[in-house]
Amino acid sequence: MLILAIESSCDEFSLALVENGNTCLFMETLSQIDIHANYGGVIPELASREHTKYFSIVLEKLDNFLNSNWREVDAIAVTIGPGLSGSLLVGIQVAKVIATMLNKPLIPVHHILGHVLSPNLSAELQFPYLALVVSGGHTELVYCRDVNTFETIGATRDDAVGEVYDKVAKKLGLAYPGGPIIDQLAQQGERTFSFPKPKMADPLAFSFSGLKSAVINVINNATNRREQIVIEDVATSFQAVVVEELVDKVERAIAMYEVKMVGLCGGVSANRSLRTAFLELASKHDQKLFVIPELKYCGDNAAMIGVAAYHLSRITNRTQKTKLECYPNISITDFMEFENMRKERDER
Ligand code: KG4
Ligand code: ZN
């Protein structure tokens, strides 16, 4: 089954061709980061307007790849949320037009399920499966008993990890997005600051706002006292707490749930210290399979949407085109309920 997938939930317009939910034959991702960097963060109105310029460029590349042989595509998949409404709508409109022109099914996909299932591009998913999703908007532990059942067993109570990286970076006067820059600086510093580890009553819940405030206070105090601060050391000390916290929660989840495979997904999974720590954890649990997608599948990309669509199409067995809307805040649970309702309706 060849799926043409579209992802445009934030500031990347990405198109991919994914075969049988595990092989990406083509992917083109146009990022707007350079534009939003001028403003220190994503400007939603600008993001959707830029998407309207980008999609035709990407479609032309796909047309060349397909030799204009679009009939080979079996279905169209598109992210319907969560994300920025204006950005989502551009991808959804493009998907509707292509699906209508080709008279092929249209598969709506939840963005986080895309991240969760993205490790299938590196190794076949084994269930029960646990995914740690770490991105600019999400920090979640998602437990999949089978490919039909997704349960969020841990989530952040405040800021997402990537968001905290970007806020700390901004405070340090670094460019947007700050995550990769802090990661780079962290490789060069020493752990000289002792930032507090988050404390939560719920063993699988995350909270990063206390850590963020502690780092910002240290920077403010140094500025007020006109003291020089070694930003590499701030980065190393901050990153060490983040990584310890994330790995700790994965370990707890593994202890509480039966798990065969563990995936690390989302933009922050590009983080070097986190990848190293995740692989160290893997060596401690050598009966389980630990998978981190290739860097190009860590951030927002359409290949992961194609993977998720393939799995969802097997669940819902849907062949009808739907009147798609965007759902900027939809949870995984609501999305799955929605899918199951649609399945029942289609079967009637
Ligand atoms: O998944 P993603 O591309 O987009 C969202 O859905 O949010 O994640 C983007 C986030 C940004 O906050 C960015 O700073 C962070 O991922 N990020 C990193 C690294 N690379 C990207 N954070 C820490 N270390 C990195 N190497
Ligand atoms: Zn994402």
mmCIF file with all atom_site columns, all heavy atoms in Angstrom, residues 7 9 111-112 115 135-136 138 266-267 298-300 304, ligand 2:
data_model
loop_
_atom_site.group_PDB
_atom_site.id
_atom_site.type_symbol
_atom_site.label_atom_id
_atom_site.label_alt_id
_atom_site.label_comp_id
_atom_site.label_asym_id
_atom_site.label_entity_id
_atom_site.label_seq_id
_atom_site.pdbx_PDB_ins_code
_atom_site.Cartn_x
_atom_site.Cartn_y
_atom_site.Cartn_z
_atom_site.occupancy
_atom_site.B_iso_or_equiv
_atom_site.pdbx_formal_charge
_atom_site.auth_seq_id
_atom_site.auth_comp_id
_atom_site.auth_asym_id
_atom_site.auth_atom_id
_atom_site.pdbx_PDB_model_num
ATOM   1  N  N   . GLU A 1 7   ? 2.191  16.604 6.139  1.00 0.00 ? 7   GLU A N   1
ATOM   2  C  CA  . GLU A 1 7   ? 2.291  17.119 7.510  1.00 0.00 ? 7   GLU A CA  1
ATOM   3  C  C   . GLU A 1 7   ? 2.545  18.623 7.422  1.00 0.00 ? 7   GLU A C   1
ATOM   4  O  O   . GLU A 1 7   ? 3.503  19.064 6.789  1.00 0.00 ? 7   GLU A O   1
ATOM   5  C  CB  . GLU A 1 7   ? 3.438  16.397 8.244  1.00 0.00 ? 7   GLU A CB  1
ATOM   6  C  CG  . GLU A 1 7   ? 4.088  17.143 9.391  1.00 0.00 ? 7   GLU A CG  1
ATOM   7  C  CD  . GLU A 1 7   ? 3.186  17.436 10.573 1.00 0.00 ? 7   GLU A CD  1
ATOM   8  O  OE1 . GLU A 1 7   ? 2.374  16.581 10.958 1.00 0.00 ? 7   GLU A OE1 1
ATOM   9  O  OE2 . GLU A 1 7   ? 3.294  18.552 11.126 1.00 0.00 ? 7   GLU A OE2 1
ATOM   10 N  N   . SER A 1 9   ? 1.499  20.744 10.475 1.00 0.00 ? 9   SER A N   1
ATOM   11 C  CA  . SER A 1 9   ? 0.846  21.208 11.710 1.00 0.00 ? 9   SER A CA  1
ATOM   12 C  C   . SER A 1 9   ? 1.501  22.425 12.339 1.00 0.00 ? 9   SER A C   1
ATOM   13 O  O   . SER A 1 9   ? 0.878  23.142 13.112 1.00 0.00 ? 9   SER A O   1
ATOM   14 C  CB  . SER A 1 9   ? 0.798  20.070 12.732 1.00 0.00 ? 9   SER A CB  1
ATOM   15 O  OG  . SER A 1 9   ? 2.101  19.704 13.095 1.00 0.00 ? 9   SER A OG  1
ATOM   16 N  N   . HIS A 1 111 ? -1.196 13.947 14.976 1.00 0.00 ? 111 HIS A N   1
ATOM   17 C  CA  . HIS A 1 111 ? 0.232  14.271 14.875 1.00 0.00 ? 111 HIS A CA  1
ATOM   18 C  C   . HIS A 1 111 ? 1.088  13.465 15.862 1.00 0.00 ? 111 HIS A C   1
ATOM   19 O  O   . HIS A 1 111 ? 2.150  12.943 15.491 1.00 0.00 ? 111 HIS A O   1
ATOM   20 C  CB  . HIS A 1 111 ? 0.397  15.781 15.123 1.00 0.00 ? 111 HIS A CB  1
ATOM   21 C  CG  . HIS A 1 111 ? 1.799  16.262 15.091 1.00 0.00 ? 111 HIS A CG  1
ATOM   22 N  ND1 . HIS A 1 111 ? 2.463  16.524 13.914 1.00 0.00 ? 111 HIS A ND1 1
ATOM   23 C  CD2 . HIS A 1 111 ? 2.691  16.506 16.080 1.00 0.00 ? 111 HIS A CD2 1
ATOM   24 C  CE1 . HIS A 1 111 ? 3.695  16.922 14.199 1.00 0.00 ? 111 HIS A CE1 1
ATOM   25 N  NE2 . HIS A 1 111 ? 3.862  16.920 15.502 1.00 0.00 ? 111 HIS A NE2 1
ATOM   26 N  N   . ILE A 1 112 ? 0.624  13.340 17.096 1.00 0.00 ? 112 ILE A N   1
ATOM   27 C  CA  . ILE A 1 112 ? 1.438  12.633 18.104 1.00 0.00 ? 112 ILE A CA  1
ATOM   28 C  C   . ILE A 1 112 ? 1.499  11.135 17.790 1.00 0.00 ? 112 ILE A C   1
ATOM   29 O  O   . ILE A 1 112 ? 2.529  10.497 18.010 1.00 0.00 ? 112 ILE A O   1
ATOM   30 C  CB  . ILE A 1 112 ? 0.900  12.879 19.535 1.00 0.00 ? 112 ILE A CB  1
ATOM   31 C  CG1 . ILE A 1 112 ? 0.933  14.375 19.846 1.00 0.00 ? 112 ILE A CG1 1
ATOM   32 C  CG2 . ILE A 1 112 ? 1.718  12.118 20.577 1.00 0.00 ? 112 ILE A CG2 1
ATOM   33 C  CD1 . ILE A 1 112 ? 2.298  15.021 19.769 1.00 0.00 ? 112 ILE A CD1 1
ATOM   34 N  N   . HIS A 1 115 ? 4.391  10.689 15.573 1.00 0.00 ? 115 HIS A N   1
ATOM   35 C  CA  . HIS A 1 115 ? 5.666  10.575 16.302 1.00 0.00 ? 115 HIS A CA  1
ATOM   36 C  C   . HIS A 1 115 ? 5.769  9.201  16.974 1.00 0.00 ? 115 HIS A C   1
ATOM   37 O  O   . HIS A 1 115 ? 6.803  8.541  16.911 1.00 0.00 ? 115 HIS A O   1
ATOM   38 C  CB  . HIS A 1 115 ? 5.765  11.659 17.386 1.00 0.00 ? 115 HIS A CB  1
ATOM   39 C  CG  . HIS A 1 115 ? 6.149  13.014 16.873 1.00 0.00 ? 115 HIS A CG  1
ATOM   40 N  ND1 . HIS A 1 115 ? 7.303  13.247 16.173 1.00 0.00 ? 115 HIS A ND1 1
ATOM   41 C  CD2 . HIS A 1 115 ? 5.529  14.228 16.976 1.00 0.00 ? 115 HIS A CD2 1
ATOM   42 C  CE1 . HIS A 1 115 ? 7.393  14.536 15.861 1.00 0.00 ? 115 HIS A CE1 1
ATOM   43 N  NE2 . HIS A 1 115 ? 6.321  15.151 16.330 1.00 0.00 ? 115 HIS A NE2 1
ATOM   44 N  N   . SER A 1 135 ? 8.767  16.772 22.296 1.00 0.00 ? 135 SER A N   1
ATOM   45 C  CA  . SER A 1 135 ? 8.835  17.744 21.201 1.00 0.00 ? 135 SER A CA  1
ATOM   46 C  C   . SER A 1 135 ? 8.634  19.141 21.755 1.00 0.00 ? 135 SER A C   1
ATOM   47 O  O   . SER A 1 135 ? 8.651  19.350 22.969 1.00 0.00 ? 135 SER A O   1
ATOM   48 C  CB  . SER A 1 135 ? 7.769  17.410 20.153 1.00 0.00 ? 135 SER A CB  1
ATOM   49 O  OG  . SER A 1 135 ? 6.499  17.718 20.653 1.00 0.00 ? 135 SER A OG  1
ATOM   50 N  N   . GLY A 1 136 ? 8.423  20.104 20.852 1.00 0.00 ? 136 GLY A N   1
ATOM   51 C  CA  . GLY A 1 136 ? 8.248  21.479 21.288 1.00 0.00 ? 136 GLY A CA  1
ATOM   52 C  C   . GLY A 1 136 ? 6.925  21.688 22.001 1.00 0.00 ? 136 GLY A C   1
ATOM   53 O  O   . GLY A 1 136 ? 6.796  22.577 22.846 1.00 0.00 ? 136 GLY A O   1
ATOM   54 N  N   . HIS A 1 138 ? 4.919  18.789 23.181 1.00 0.00 ? 138 HIS A N   1
ATOM   55 C  CA  . HIS A 1 138 ? 4.459  17.600 23.908 1.00 0.00 ? 138 HIS A CA  1
ATOM   56 C  C   . HIS A 1 138 ? 5.581  16.896 24.647 1.00 0.00 ? 138 HIS A C   1
ATOM   57 O  O   . HIS A 1 138 ? 6.704  16.824 24.160 1.00 0.00 ? 138 HIS A O   1
ATOM   58 C  CB  . HIS A 1 138 ? 3.807  16.603 22.941 1.00 0.00 ? 138 HIS A CB  1
ATOM   59 C  CG  . HIS A 1 138 ? 2.579  17.148 22.316 1.00 0.00 ? 138 HIS A CG  1
ATOM   60 N  ND1 . HIS A 1 138 ? 1.327  16.912 22.821 1.00 0.00 ? 138 HIS A ND1 1
ATOM   61 C  CD2 . HIS A 1 138 ? 2.414  17.971 21.263 1.00 0.00 ? 138 HIS A CD2 1
ATOM   62 C  CE1 . HIS A 1 138 ? 0.442  17.562 22.084 1.00 0.00 ? 138 HIS A CE1 1
ATOM   63 N  NE2 . HIS A 1 138 ? 1.076  18.210 21.132 1.00 0.00 ? 138 HIS A NE2 1
ATOM   64 N  N   . GLY A 1 266 ? 10.036 12.401 18.472 1.00 0.00 ? 266 GLY A N   1
ATOM   65 C  CA  . GLY A 1 266 ? 9.794  13.838 18.561 1.00 0.00 ? 266 GLY A CA  1
ATOM   66 C  C   . GLY A 1 266 ? 11.088 14.621 18.420 1.00 0.00 ? 266 GLY A C   1
ATOM   67 O  O   . GLY A 1 266 ? 12.182 14.060 18.535 1.00 0.00 ? 266 GLY A O   1
ATOM   68 N  N   . GLY A 1 267 ? 10.950 15.925 18.192 1.00 0.00 ? 267 GLY A N   1
ATOM   69 C  CA  . GLY A 1 267 ? 12.108 16.777 17.885 1.00 0.00 ? 267 GLY A CA  1
ATOM   70 C  C   . GLY A 1 267 ? 13.240 16.690 18.890 1.00 0.00 ? 267 GLY A C   1
ATOM   71 O  O   . GLY A 1 267 ? 14.418 16.688 18.509 1.00 0.00 ? 267 GLY A O   1
ATOM   72 N  N   . CYS A 1 298 ? 12.905 12.483 13.336 1.00 0.00 ? 298 CYS A N   1
ATOM   73 C  CA  . CYS A 1 298 ? 12.689 12.894 14.741 1.00 0.00 ? 298 CYS A CA  1
ATOM   74 C  C   . CYS A 1 298 ? 11.781 14.115 14.801 1.00 0.00 ? 298 CYS A C   1
ATOM   75 O  O   . CYS A 1 298 ? 10.795 14.127 15.524 1.00 0.00 ? 298 CYS A O   1
ATOM   76 C  CB  . CYS A 1 298 ? 14.029 13.212 15.415 1.00 0.00 ? 298 CYS A CB  1
ATOM   77 S  SG  . CYS A 1 298 ? 14.989 11.743 15.774 1.00 0.00 ? 298 CYS A SG  1
ATOM   78 N  N   . GLY A 1 299 ? 12.137 15.165 14.072 1.00 0.00 ? 299 GLY A N   1
ATOM   79 C  CA  . GLY A 1 299 ? 11.304 16.375 14.059 1.00 0.00 ? 299 GLY A CA  1
ATOM   80 C  C   . GLY A 1 299 ? 10.048 16.131 13.246 1.00 0.00 ? 299 GLY A C   1
ATOM   81 O  O   . GLY A 1 299 ? 9.767  14.998 12.825 1.00 0.00 ? 299 GLY A O   1
ATOM   82 N  N   . ASP A 1 300 ? 9.285  17.187 13.025 1.00 0.00 ? 300 ASP A N   1
ATOM   83 C  CA  . ASP A 1 300 ? 8.034  17.021 12.273 1.00 0.00 ? 300 ASP A CA  1
ATOM   84 C  C   . ASP A 1 300 ? 8.338  16.633 10.829 1.00 0.00 ? 300 ASP A C   1
ATOM   85 O  O   . ASP A 1 300 ? 9.137  17.285 10.160 1.00 0.00 ? 300 ASP A O   1
ATOM   86 C  CB  . ASP A 1 300 ? 7.227  18.321 12.326 1.00 0.00 ? 300 ASP A CB  1
ATOM   87 C  CG  . ASP A 1 300 ? 6.670  18.539 13.721 1.00 0.00 ? 300 ASP A CG  1
ATOM   88 O  OD1 . ASP A 1 300 ? 6.721  17.602 14.535 1.00 0.00 ? 300 ASP A OD1 1
ATOM   89 O  OD2 . ASP A 1 300 ? 6.183  19.650 13.997 1.00 0.00 ? 300 ASP A OD2 1
ATOM   90 N  N   . MET A 1 304 ? 6.335  10.008 9.057  1.00 0.00 ? 304 MET A N   1
ATOM   91 C  CA  . MET A 1 304 ? 5.698  9.439  10.260 1.00 0.00 ? 304 MET A CA  1
ATOM   92 C  C   . MET A 1 304 ? 4.168  9.449  10.114 1.00 0.00 ? 304 MET A C   1
ATOM   93 O  O   . MET A 1 304 ? 3.481  8.583  10.663 1.00 0.00 ? 304 MET A O   1
ATOM   94 C  CB  . MET A 1 304 ? 6.142  10.205 11.519 1.00 0.00 ? 304 MET A CB  1
ATOM   95 C  CG  . MET A 1 304 ? 5.626  11.627 11.613 1.00 0.00 ? 304 MET A CG  1
ATOM   96 S  SD  . MET A 1 304 ? 6.239  12.447 13.106 1.00 0.00 ? 304 MET A SD  1
ATOM   97 C  CE  . MET A 1 304 ? 5.162  13.907 13.146 1.00 0.00 ? 304 MET A CE  1
HETATM 98 ZN ZN  . ZN  B 2 .   ? 5.789  17.185 16.380 1.00 0.00 ? 2   ZN  B ZN  1
#
